[in-house]
Amino acid sequence: MYFARVLCASSVVVCAFVAPHVTFAVSQFPNTFITSKQQYEIDILAANRISQISEITSMADILIPVETPTETAVILERGTCPAPQIPDPLEDAISIQNINPDEGYDISYIPSDLVDISPHVPTKNKRVICLRKAAAVDLIAMKDAMKAEGLKLSANSGYRSYYDQYALHRAYAPTAKTVKYPRVAPAGHSEHQSGLAVDVASELAPGSFGSSRESAWIKEHGYKYGFVISYPEDHQEVTGYMHEPWHLRYVGKENALVLREAGYTLAFKKDYYMKPYLAVVLSNLKNRMARFDTMKLEIGG
Ligand SMILES: [Zn+2]
């Protein structure tokens, strides 16, 4: 793991990805000097990963359910959601990166396909909330499924820029001093910067989401729509944050099932046993996102 730490220091974006994709990581740093000892460690890592990944691939094959499309045709628009000037070539890796107090996003990262969910999911004062396209589609499907059962899901927050997070964290600083596990991450360390995290709420029980019927429903069914609860109950030690039943991270349906089975979220800061899964997780999420590129969805603006 020594080599992984070296690369982490030079780029947090690649950090989570080093172990399963050693050659990929190295190619991002053509000028990185690699000693023969490090090369040896890379070879060992690569050999271990290959055997682990093949085991996990077969496990994931068993866990992946038959996909039944639940999405309804919906026109999503970018609206006033921001777009990067140049899409980040590491965006796929970023989409499954562990985010926690130790691992974070680059200041310049803006997701490439943000859309405004406010025309489709209730938001306070109809305010614009941006999510990446795949997360938006599945959130809308989840909200519709909940509505059919008499539940009312709304959204409070989605994508936040590095700067938004900086301001939020600064405002929260006095409170943070008084609690053991904070609620607000420092800039660069919030899953909200991924555009794949959403804070949801119950319109039937505003202000008490944890005890709402919507929360209970999401705990049981959220994974079917690709969402995991990043900061589960009794996991403060490994996430570094207090329990947040309303904070959901989109990982795609197949991954949500795998993560649920493993009792893991991408917000864990310790216990890296999930790292070998990341290659499988990435390919699942890429497939999920590619699906929406071919669907009849339009992004305007
Ligand atoms: Zn949140």
Side-chain angles (χ1 to χ4, degrees):
M1 290 316 284
Y2 170 72
F3 181 69
R5 280 196 213 108
V6 171
L7 272 184
C8 284
S10 50
S11 169
V12 288
V13 169
V14 173
C15 171
F17 222 53
V18 169
H21 288 271
V22 172
T23 47
F24 166 77
V26 172
S27 69
Q28 300 299 312
F29 295 91
N31 298 324
T32 305
F33 177 71
I34 301 169
T35 65
S36 58
K37 182 171 180 290
Q38 284 170 337
Q39 185 60 55
Y40 173 75
E41 286 173 357
I42 292 169
D43 292 343
I44 297 288
L45 266 178
N48 286 343
R49 291 307 171 197
I50 286 163
S51 65
Q52 284 171 334
I53 286 167
S54 57
E55 269 172 38
I56 287 154
T57 303
S58 52
M59 177 190 165
D61 282 345
I62 296 164
L63 290 173
I64 291 171
V66 177
E67 179 119 353
T68 48
T70 52
E71 310 89 18
T72 45
V74 55
I75 294 177
L76 295 169
E77 299 201 12
R78 190 183 292 282
T80 54
C81 297
Q85 287 188 329
I86 306 167
D88 196 313
L90 294 177
E91 181 154 63
D92 285 337
I94 290 169
S95 65
I96 55 139
Q97 190 184 343
N98 285 68
I99 292 301
N100 53 51
D102 305 320
E103 299 176 80
Y105 296 120
D106 194 85
I107 189 169
S108 62
Y109 178 63
I110 299 172
S112 62
D113 57 351
L114 291 174
V115 293
D116 177 14
I117 63 165
S118 64
H120 310 283
V121 178
T123 68
K124 204 173 181 185
N125 300 326
K126 298 200 168 148
R127 127 184 125 80
V128 170
I129 290 184
C130 309
L131 284 183
R132 289 192 65 188
K133 193 168 51 170
V137 170
D138 280 334
L139 182 71
I140 294 165
M142 185 164 81
K143 179 221 61 175
D144 288 345
M146 293 173 78
K147 194 175 171 186
E149 294 186 31
L151 304 177
K152 286 190 169 181
L153 190 74
S154 60
N156 277 343
S157 185
Y159 166 74
R160 285 183 216 138
S161 72
Y162 186 99
Y163 299 101
D164 292 339
Q165 193 65 32
Y166 177 81
L168 197 64
H169 186 251
R170 218 179 143 154
Y172 180 72
T175 312
K177 283 185 192 146
T178 65
V179 293
K180 188 172 178 195
Y181 297 107
R183 257 173 62 177
V184 179
H189 295 272
S190 169
E191 288 192 334
H192 285 282
Q193 195 181 338
S194 71
L196 294 166
V198 58
D199 290 339
V200 293
S202 159
E203 287 199 286
L204 300 175
S208 56
F209 186 73
S211 53
S212 69
R213 285 173 60 209
E214 285 80 359
S215 177
W217 192 97
I218 285 173
K219 244 191 227 172
E220 200 181 334
H221 305 290
Y223 75 96
K224 297 174 191 168
Y225 297 85
F227 290 94
V228 291
I229 296 165
S230 297
Y231 310 109
E233 215 164 357
D234 303 326
H235 282 69
Q236 292 94 328
E237 284 275 313
V238 286
T239 64
Y241 295 100
M242 63 169 270
H243 173 43
E244 291 191 358
W246 57 83
H247 177 107
L248 311 178
R249 172 157 171 170
Y250 182 75
V251 293
K253 294 177 183 182
E254 296 84 355
N255 290 332
L257 185 64
V258 172
L259 294 172
R260 183 184 153 102
E261 295 290 321
Y264 187 90
T265 84
L266 296 179
F268 279 14
K269 65 174 182 168
K270 293 178 187 165
D271 189 3
Y272 285 90
Y273 73 89
M274 194 64 196
K275 291 274 180 184
Y277 285 66
L278 291 182
V280 177
V281 171
L282 174 64
S283 92
N284 279 339
L285 189 56
K286 272 172 86 167
N287 290 342
R288 187 74 191 152
M289 291 191 167
R291 176 182 167 77
F292 295 116
D293 286 337
T294 55
M295 276 180 66
K296 246 192 136 219
L297 296 170
E298 297 166 26
I299 296 192

